[in-house]
Amino acid sequence: MDLTDELVEFILLRLDSSVSLIRAASTCKPWRRIVADAGFLRRFRGLHEPTVTGYYFDSRAESPFATLTMGRQEAALCFRPSPSAAALAIDAGSFSLAFLRDDDVLPSRWSSSWSVADSRGSLVLLRSLAAGHAPFCFPEVVVCEPLTRRHRRILPSPDFGTGCFFYGCYLADGEAAGDCSSSIGMSNFRVVYELYRDDGGAGLARAAVFAAGADGGHSWRETSVGHAIPPFHRMSLMGRAGGSWYFHEGSTMAVLDGSTAEFSSLLFTLQQQPIDPGVYLYIAEGRDGEPRMFTTTGGILTVLARARRPVVAGDGEDDVEEWAVEKSVRLSEATRGLPGYDASFFGGGGGPMDVITRGVGFVVLSPRIRTTAKEEAAPARWWFAVDLETAEVERVHDDLGTIQFPCQLPWQPNLRACPA
């Protein structure tokens, strides 16, 4: 039975992923011609979320305190395939970062001197932790696309030297993209650095932005983030969700938007809970792609979702972002039936919790288990995961790192229509 181009296009638009689309395009010349059309690719991308192939993580402890409480040993950069990758028969070995070592991009001890700093789209950002790049100094970074084994090493700019302090680096979309091309790729990405300069006592938050060009060139620029955002050395990093990063100082929240590479700020409040300096606030990503804030104060996991409401201020109406409670879980009770449970872990139900991992739709927590001097060489650990939607708990034995960084298939498919 012959199908019209319109009907074939209708069917192809409903394939589940870009992998299936490429496989369909290889079926015959007419199908490839349809799939290679820029308008079709634009419509396909508008209908489908990018395929997440898996998650990179770095199980290295970030401080001696974390080593003591989390019990982590020196570890390598790792990749864990997603269920969707397994369903599409994607080879997880294709996402190994070993090619960076083989190509002499990273030194021989690359697994212990480089850390995953961020990911966006199909790109991964690695940050040097070598002794030559001490805290507050610009590090060397590498941006790579594991599936295609392309990479770009970014050296510190000489413009950011004495008197310039570095606090973090993040990936953002490129400055320009075609109608159906990706907003980020090896020839179109930005790296945003948090900076602090004294500026004669002004102490404004600043950012340096590295922008990759399609011709292999690049540009640097530095900008003041603005008076509404406190200097970064005073802000607490809450976490990452939906490709954006969240920070706060008191009731002021700053957000780095990964699509625009720009910072914004607003005031926020917590429903039923004060923003106390002693309360640690964390951000994780919900399965709906929206951020979830959570705390573990008093041994209770409180999960909050954001909701805007107008507030009348002295000079008019202002927007305040309120985070409303979605659920509260008393952890000593929720974990009671798990293997290895001991009531003493929770110090009467309200003991402090360590946040081990934040991933999409879940967090991994651990009570701070006291150890004797003899046990400090191999600290005790008892980790459990909590589902942010269902509040279900389960024991966890694998070290997934502080944050899991998703990696997507590259977009768009590099196809050309076959000659008739």
Side-chain angles (χ1 to χ4, degrees), residues 126-405:
L126 304 178
R127 168 186 170 184
S128 171
L129 299 177
H133 302 286
F136 312 125
C137 298
F138 258 65
E140 292 184 18
V141 302
V142 169
V143 177
C144 66
E145 189 170 63
L147 187 61
T148 62
R149 300 199 165 201
R150 293 187 293 167
H151 53 76
R152 183 164 185 172
R153 193 167 189 167
I154 303 173
L155 300 178
S157 170
D159 296 331
F160 306 103
T162 305
C164 184
F165 298 90
F166 159 87
Y167 286 94
C169 54
Y170 312 95
L171 267 177
D173 288 350
E175 295 180 318
D179 288 340
C180 62
S181 63
S182 174
S183 54
I184 189 168
M186 285 304 301
S187 60
N188 188 37
F189 67 85
R190 284 177 284 184
V191 179
V192 181
Y193 297 80
E194 299 171 357
L195 298 181
Y196 172 75
R197 290 186 188 271
D198 182 50
D199 290 335
L204 299 178
R206 304 186 70 86
V209 181
F210 173 94
D215 57 356
H218 70 272
S219 63
W220 283 94
R221 65 179 175 86
E222 181 181 351
T223 181
S224 173
V225 174
H227 291 272
I229 297 179
F232 290 113
H233 70 283
R234 287 172 25 199
M235 301 195 76
S236 298
L237 174 62
M238 293 193 289
R240 177 187 195 274
S244 295
W245 289 86
Y246 294 77
F247 314 79
H248 90 98
E249 183 199 33
S251 59
T252 299
M253 179 185 294
V255 181
L256 171 59
D257 189 325
S259 61
T260 64
E262 295 180 352
F263 287 89
S264 61
S265 70
L266 72 165
L267 299 176
F268 75 104
T269 63
L270 304 183
Q271 184 187 63
Q272 302 176 5
Q273 190 167 328
I275 303 176
D276 187 277
V279 174
Y280 289 97
L281 304 176
Y282 304 91
I283 290 287
E285 184 173 335
R287 292 191 180 89
D288 58 1
E290 292 296 315
R292 295 295 187 275
M293 188 183 297
F294 67 94
T295 70
T296 62
T297 305
I300 298 175
L301 174 66
T302 305
V303 182
L304 307 101
R306 62 184 176 184
R308 286 190 179 275
R309 63 179 175 86
V311 172
V312 177
D315 55 351
E317 192 175 90
D318 194 9
D319 275 347
V320 173
E321 190 168 80
E322 181 180 72
W323 290 74
V325 175
E326 282 193 330
K327 58 180 59 62
S328 294
V329 183
R330 185 169 293 279
L331 298 172
S332 60
E333 297 176 0
T335 60
R336 191 179 301 275
L338 297 181
Y341 173 87
D342 189 322
S344 66
F345 291 168
F346 296 91
M353 294 286 115
D354 287 319
V355 178
I356 307 299
T357 300
R358 279 162 281 174
V360 177
F362 75 93
V363 296
V364 176
L365 306 174
S366 175
R368 294 181 185 173
I369 303 174
R370 295 182 179 179
T371 61
T372 65
K374 294 182 179 180
E375 293 174 323
E376 286 184 0
R381 65 187 189 185
W382 192 74
W383 299 342
F384 59 93
V386 185
D387 189 297
L388 296 177
E389 290 185 5
T390 66
E392 296 177 348
V393 298
E394 64 175 328
R395 280 281 281 124
V396 173
H397 302 281
D398 295 334
D399 187 348
L400 302 179
T402 305
I403 297 179
Q404 292 192 83
F405 295 95

Side-chain angles (χ1 to χ4, degrees), residues 15-140:
L15 293 178
D16 57 357
S17 72
S18 58
V19 174
S20 299
L21 187 65
I22 293 173
R23 290 170 180 167
S26 64
T27 301
C28 61
K29 291 182 179 180
W31 286 23
R32 179 167 178 163
R33 175 176 48 79
I34 292 173
V35 172
D37 178 73
F40 173 87
L41 288 172
R42 184 169 54 252
R43 291 189 293 275
F44 184 89
R45 193 174 191 198
L47 291 172
H48 300 275
E49 292 291 330
T51 300
V52 175
T53 57
Y55 300 87
Y56 286 94
F57 56 92
D58 178 6
S59 59
R60 180 185 300 99
E62 295 184 356
S63 68
F65 175 76
T67 302
L68 176 64
T69 58
M70 299 179 188
R72 292 184 179 150
Q73 305 299 318
E74 182 179 298
L77 309 177
C78 303
F79 177 79
R80 170 168 289 192
S82 67
S84 58
L88 293 169
I90 297 174
D91 180 13
S94 300
F95 293 87
S96 168
L97 297 177
F99 73 93
L100 294 171
R101 179 185 57 197
D102 297 339
D103 293 347
D104 294 327
V105 179
L106 305 188
S108 58
R109 289 186 58 79
W110 68 283
S111 64
S112 59
S113 60
W114 290 77
S115 174
V116 183
D118 199 3
S119 69
R120 189 165 180 85
S122 60
L123 305 188
V124 179
L125 175 67
L126 304 178
R127 168 186 170 184
S128 171
L129 299 177
H133 302 286
F136 312 125
C137 298
F138 258 65
E140 292 184 18

